[in-house]
Each structure stands twice: as structure tokens, then as C-alpha cells.
Amino acid sequence: MNATKPGARRAPTPERDPAVLARARAILRQHQAAENVRQQQQGHGNPIVSWMDEANGFRFVAVKQTVYWGRNWFIFPNFLDYFMKKTLDHEWGERERSKGQHPLFRWLQKTQAYSNQKPGEPKVKTIVMMGFIACWLHLAYTLYLIAHHDEIPEPLLKRLRDPVSFMPAYYEAIVGAALAVAGMEISCAETKAGSMPTPEFRAKSKASGKTYEIEAKRKNGWKAPTGDVTNAEFLRELEVYVRNQIYNASKKKLTNPVYWFELSIPTMMAEADWRAVAEKAEAAIRDAENSMTVDGQPIAPAYVVITNHTFLADEDVTGHPCFGFLQTIKIDDYPFGRPLEIEAALEGYDKHRDIFWLMEAWKKASTVPTTFDGSPPELLDSDGKPQRTVKLGDMIEVPDIDGKTVRATVEEISSWGEDKAMLAVGANGRHWLVEMPLTAGEAQAARRYTDAVFGKDNASHGLRDDDPFDLYDWLLQAHANMTQQQVDKFFEKNPTLGHYQGLPLKEARVRVAREYTKWTWVRSQQDKAAKSQQATAPNETVS
């Protein structure tokens, strides 16, 4: 029954009041933009689930199906500290602390001495990240990520509690966290003793349905000096380590293997040094690809990830530098490092997208979120509460064209320069532009997370002009909601592509994005070549 009492006034509804519908759309865009910012911090796995009981001062956090609560969890790392200690077991911690052998307690003691809060200081403050803080914070985050997406295998916890096996197990946890952030279903394979060699993890991609077997090993110390990574002694040790790890992993004869090898070079700080290391490691991989055999047979295809988490080897380092790169063994259609036609390169990129996604996830998992809800940490106040900034669809007070203060709707917004934003606003049928200063936090957040911090659901980072795959990803997103009618119209306008017209809608959208990528990329490369030729042409004079 939808009867209304005589004389009662109907509430405005979207179909009757366009302003209500416009506001609903603006709120949806704000929600989608906030999700964009959250994913930039937390990746594409399960989001942080948390809420406040303001009346009693409790913060609740759900880890999969288990709910934890506590006071004084102002930022996410506060909870991670609690979660790590509870997961590893408080009683174990009390026993192990007195022995003084486990690295974790040394890191925590150094952190307490370094960042101990003094009376009158704000609850949340900015400090310089040190290696010993990064060590326990990343461990806590990896444990949370694995627990929030799957279950932490008891054998892994057992190895983490043992000072002898702790560091190798820590690296396995880092890899497991990357798999979790990539949205893969993970399971620990090395849980039962047996005669068949097994990997550390099995990971099933939700996107492709493909299952990968993951091997993860960490180098425990260097005999050669690491101060100069270009010296012959260091490079020989690096080459031998990479070859030995490939051989040992290949002996397991895994299915769809992904090998992760951590170097833990304690002096690795600069990108130039990492490039020198990566070049030598790649040469070792290529040599193994061409000459290595197992049981008389050439080694099988595999992905190889080489990483270096400097803080794992030097806990007193400033910051938490980490580097990584991906190579392959005997995967001919891998679209990097070899000349390919653009169509073949895009096909290879789609085929190996799981692994590219995994590398992006490793980068995401290497940065611990500060906030519970994904709001930019740059917008937190001293109590850890996010400060709201202006967003698309907001009603704000601004000067109109005549200089009078009026309430207007924010219809468009874009950061501008270093510390300003340009707003397109509207009121009473009039539309105009307004310049708005940004706080330092707002400006930093916009640079880091794009204009999505202002509620723009279509905000994106600038495209790299030297990367066709970046362009392709952007075009895939832009055409993700094409209708069948739009797809048919595209093929009608391009008769040379008529043989693709019978593709299912999902595949047709990919084809449209590919064709636009090829046209745009080829044209951009031609323009770049023409400009380069003009710049290098000899100056001509007319006499």
C-alpha cells in the first residue's frame, strides 16, 4: 500500500526530483573514488574491515571471520602490533623475550626506544622510518594479509617462532602476502612431510583460474664485500647463488612455477646499484636457461622474481628500501625483453597478466596502510582521524561571478599546480570556475592518489608515453562497459576488422581496446620519430 494521508506531503523521490537523483549519483561517484584510493593502498585483495564504537571507545577489526577489538588503535599499525603478538602467541613471547635470541624482540625494543611517546605529544606523529621498525611492521602486515585471505599455516608460525628458521620463514610470509594482495587463493603446500618435493605455496588466480606453485628462498649473508656491487668477487657470488637456486627449484619439477629469490644485500640503497645487480642476475638466468639441465633434460619454463629487502639485512638502515624485478625462463611469448609486434605483445601481456598483477601486488604489500578505511594518511589529524576535503557533488560557499558569496554545487574538480585546485561550480542555472587553495596534506594526497581524493571516480595517473601496456590497461578500463550495440557500430565503421564481429561481448570489448591501443601507439611512435628526426636534422640556411 502506497496510500498517503490527506494533506500529507510526498517526500522527494529520484524520479520526481532530478536534484535527488543527481545527489545520489554524486555519492556513488564519491564511493567509487574512495574505493580507487583504498585499492591504491591496500591492493585488490580483501579490504580492511573495521568500525568504531564511539560511545565506548573501541575499534573493531575483522580478520576474515574473526573480530578483534581494542582501545588506542588510532592507526592501522597500532592494530598490526597487537595482531602480530596475538598470532605468534603472548605466552611464547614472554618465554622467548627473556632468552634474547629472537630478532623480533630486538626490533620491538629498538622501536620503543626510538618512538616512545612523551606526555603532551599528539597521538599520531610522523617519524623517520628505520629498518628495525620496517622489520616488525612488515612481518605484522604479512601475517594479517595471509590470515585475512586464507589461513596462516601452523608450520609457518612454528618456523617464525624459531630464531634459527625465522628469517627464511619471514621471506616466505612476504611472498604469501603478495599473493594475497593479488587476490589469489593461497594454500601452504609444505605442511606435511613426504617424499615428493613441494613448493612453499600454491596460488590459484581468481581471474584466470590457473594455479601456480611458488618457491621462495632467501640468501643468508654474503661472503664477498657488498659495499661495491660491481666488484668481481661480489658478482661471482651473486651468479653462483642465482644459478644454484634455479637448479634447486627446477629439481622440484613444479607446475606453473614462480621462483622468488631474496638477495638481502645490506648496502643496497640506490637504484643505480640495483640495476647493476639486476643486470648480472639476468645474465645468470639467461645462462641457466640456455645450458642448465635436470636429470639430463633442459630445465622447465618458469617465472623468476629477484628481490632485495635491504632492511632484512640491515635493521639500522634509514627507511625501508626494497627492489625487485621479474624475468622468465623459456617463456617465448613473454612480452618484455624481446622484439615483438604490437599485437603479439598485447596478446602476451594478457596471457601473463596474473604474474604482472602479482608484481604490482608485491609493490602494494611492501607499503603498510596507515588508515583503516583507506583514506589518505596525509589527511589525518593528530588524533588519527581523517579530515574531510571538498568532494565532487558537495554544496560549498564560494564567490559567484559578481563576487557575492553563494552556495554552489561542485560539478568538477582538478588539482592545479602545487597547492591549488580548480573547481567548476554551479548554482541557479549559472556555472563558473573557482580557484581553491589546498592544504599541504590535500596537495600531497592528490599527488600520490590522483584527484580521486576529491571524489572523482574517473581520476587516473598520467599515462606513461613509453609503455604501450599502460595505455592498453587504460583503454581496457575505458571500454569495459561497452554495449553490444556500441561494439557492433565499432566493427561496422572498421570493415577490415569485420572478422571479429562474432566475438562474445567480453572478448569484443578487449578487441576494441587492443585496436585503439595499436592505432594510438603506432601513431605516437611515428610522431616521436618525426620529432626526433627534425631535432637532429642539420640547420639549413637560405642565402
Side-chain angles (χ1 to χ4, degrees):
M1 295 282 295
N2 292 316
T4 305
K5 291 182 180 180
R9 208 175 150 191
R10 286 181 179 269
T13 58
E15 65 268 20
R16 292 174 177 270
D17 188 344
V20 174
L21 183 58
R23 181 58 185 158
R25 287 171 176 162
I27 292 173
L28 175 60
R29 293 188 67 185
Q30 289 182 16
H31 174 78
Q32 292 170 332
E35 177 63 9
N36 178 333
V37 175
R38 185 202 67 78
Q39 287 187 354
Q40 290 184 61
Q41 298 175 73
Q42 300 177 19
H44 294 265
N46 295 339
I48 296 171
V49 179
S50 178
W51 62 97
M52 277 294 297
D53 176 357
E54 298 287 356
N56 297 298
F58 283 105
R59 162 72 67 176
F60 291 83
V61 181
V63 180
K64 212 172 181 181
Q65 298 299 318
T66 303
V67 177
Y68 302 88
W69 62 89
R71 288 191 171 98
N72 300 323
W73 293 351
F74 304 110
I75 54 176
F76 189 54
N78 297 148
F79 162 74
L80 290 178
D81 178 39
Y82 165 86
F83 179 77
M84 175 182 66
K85 292 172 182 176
K86 183 173 180 60
T87 300
L88 291 174
D89 186 61
H90 290 293
E91 292 183 5
W92 166 83
E94 292 300 323
R95 292 194 305 270
E96 196 66 36
R97 185 193 303 274
S98 61
K99 298 177 183 178
Q101 297 178 345
H102 202 288
L104 176 59
F105 298 100
R106 184 174 66 250
W107 299 338
L108 291 172
Q109 288 167 0
K110 285 186 173 184
T111 299
Q112 186 174 16
Y114 177 74
S115 60
N116 198 22
Q117 193 172 40
K118 299 178 179 62
E121 285 189 330
K123 297 173 184 176
V124 177
K125 60 182 180 179
T126 301
I127 61 173
V128 175
M129 177 64 72
M130 299 297 295
F132 48 81
I133 301 176
C135 282
W136 74 259
L137 189 56
H138 282 270
L139 173 62
Y141 190 40
T142 59
L143 290 174
Y144 160 80
L145 286 171
I146 296 172
H148 196 39
H149 292 78
D150 193 40
E151 292 181 6
I152 305 174
E154 187 57 41
L156 177 61
L157 289 176
K158 185 177 180 180
R159 296 177 64 219
L160 287 169
R161 294 183 184 115
D162 185 344
V164 176
S165 59
F166 172 69
M167 292 306 291
Y170 186 168
Y171 185 60
E172 292 172 22
I174 287 176
V175 175
L179 296 168
V181 175
M184 292 189 174
E185 298 175 1
I186 58 176
S187 60
C188 187
E190 291 189 335
T191 56
K192 296 181 181 178
S195 58
M196 290 294 293
T198 56
E200 269 74 46
F201 294 101
R202 292 190 177 93
K204 183 177 180 180
S205 167
K206 295 177 183 176
S208 68
K210 196 172 183 179
T211 298
Y212 300 88
E213 296 191 325
I214 315 295
E215 189 75 355
K217 300 299 178 188
R218 174 183 179 267
K219 184 167 175 41
N220 185 27
W222 290 82
K223 295 179 181 178
T226 61
D228 178 8
V229 295
T230 63
N231 78 76
E233 184 183 358
F234 172 83
L235 292 175
R236 279 195 300 272
E237 186 175 349
L238 172 63
E239 180 182 14
V240 169
Y241 173 74
V242 173
R243 281 187 59 88
N244 286 348
Q245 293 304 318
I246 292 174
Y247 180 75
N248 292 335
S250 297
K251 284 198 302 182
K252 289 191 171 185
K253 299 181 180 178
L254 305 177
T255 302
N256 299 324
V258 185
Y259 306 148
W260 289 72
F261 304 139
E262 163 67 17
L263 302 179
S264 285
I265 303 169
T267 53
M268 183 66 66
M269 294 293 292
E271 186 175 343
D273 289 340
W274 174 244
R275 290 187 181 278
V277 169
E279 183 178 348
K280 186 62 178 179
E282 182 182 359
I285 294 169
R286 295 284 77 81
D287 183 57
E289 179 181 51
N290 295 326
S291 62
M292 187 175 288
T293 59
V294 171
D295 297 333
Q297 298 296 318
I299 58 175
Y303 302 96
V304 182
V305 182
I306 308 286
T307 62
N308 195 90
H309 296 78
T310 304
F311 59 89
L312 292 183
D314 178 8
E315 63 189 49
D316 293 316
V317 68
T318 300
H320 51 129
C322 54
F323 306 89
F325 75 96
L326 168 66
Q327 286 292 333
T328 60
I329 294 174
K330 298 182 182 295
I331 299 179
D332 295 333
D333 55 5
Y334 179 71
F336 293 97
R338 51 179 60 85
L340 289 172
E341 293 291 334
I342 184 67
E343 173 67 28
L346 297 178
E347 178 69 25
Y349 184 67
D350 278 339
K351 181 178 178 180
H352 302 287
R353 189 176 286 275
D354 284 345
I355 304 302
F356 300 136
W357 199 253
L358 177 58
M359 289 304 294
E360 285 299 313
W362 169 75
K363 294 178 186 176
K364 291 285 190 299
S366 297
T367 303
V368 180
T370 302
T371 60
F372 290 92
D373 62 358
S375 57
E378 292 85 354
L379 300 180
L380 294 183
D381 66 12
S382 59
D383 289 328
K385 295 181 179 179
Q387 299 302 289
R388 195 182 189 282
T389 187
V390 64
K391 295 187 184 298
L392 211 62
D394 283 356
M395 289 284 291
I396 61 174
E397 291 189 347
V398 293
D400 67 6
I401 299 172
D402 302 319
K404 296 178 181 178
T405 300
V406 298
R407 286 183 60 78
T409 302
V410 179
E411 298 173 339
E412 186 56 73
I413 184 169
S414 179
S415 51
W416 182 39
E418 292 295 317
D419 57 0
K420 295 185 289 294
M422 184 64 72
L423 281 62
V425 298
N428 303 319
R430 305 172 73 189
H431 306 273
W432 66 99
L433 298 178
V434 175
E435 182 182 311
M436 182 185 76
L438 298 177
T439 65
E442 288 173 331
Q444 291 170 7
R447 284 193 292 271
R448 186 175 179 185
Y449 301 112
T450 75
D451 290 341
V453 299
F454 303 124
K456 290 183 68 170
D457 61 327
N458 59 348
S460 61
H461 288 285
L463 296 175
R464 299 187 294 272
D465 62 3
D466 61 346
D467 186 353
F469 306 114
D470 196 32
L471 173 64
Y472 181 42
D473 282 339
W474 183 76
L475 287 168
L476 281 171
Q477 185 176 6
H479 294 88
N481 297 315
M482 285 187 81
T483 65
Q484 186 65 56
Q485 185 179 7
Q486 290 171 323
V487 166
D488 292 341
K489 191 172 181 179
F490 172 83
F491 289 126
E492 288 171 9
K493 285 186 173 181
N494 300 278
T496 57
L497 302 174
H499 53 291
Y500 291 121
Q501 201 154 6
L503 288 174
L505 181 57
K506 186 176 180 181
E507 294 178 29
R509 290 167 175 162
V510 172
R511 174 49 52 188
V512 171
R514 276 202 199 175
E515 295 304 324
Y516 276 127
T517 301
K518 290 191 290 185
W519 295 337
T520 306
W521 179 253
V522 169
R523 191 180 305 115
S524 70
Q525 295 307 293
Q526 290 171 343
D527 291 346
K528 188 179 292 185
K531 290 178 181 178
S532 176
Q533 189 174 8
Q534 290 174 359
T536 57
N539 293 328
E540 295 182 0
T541 59
V542 179
S543 58

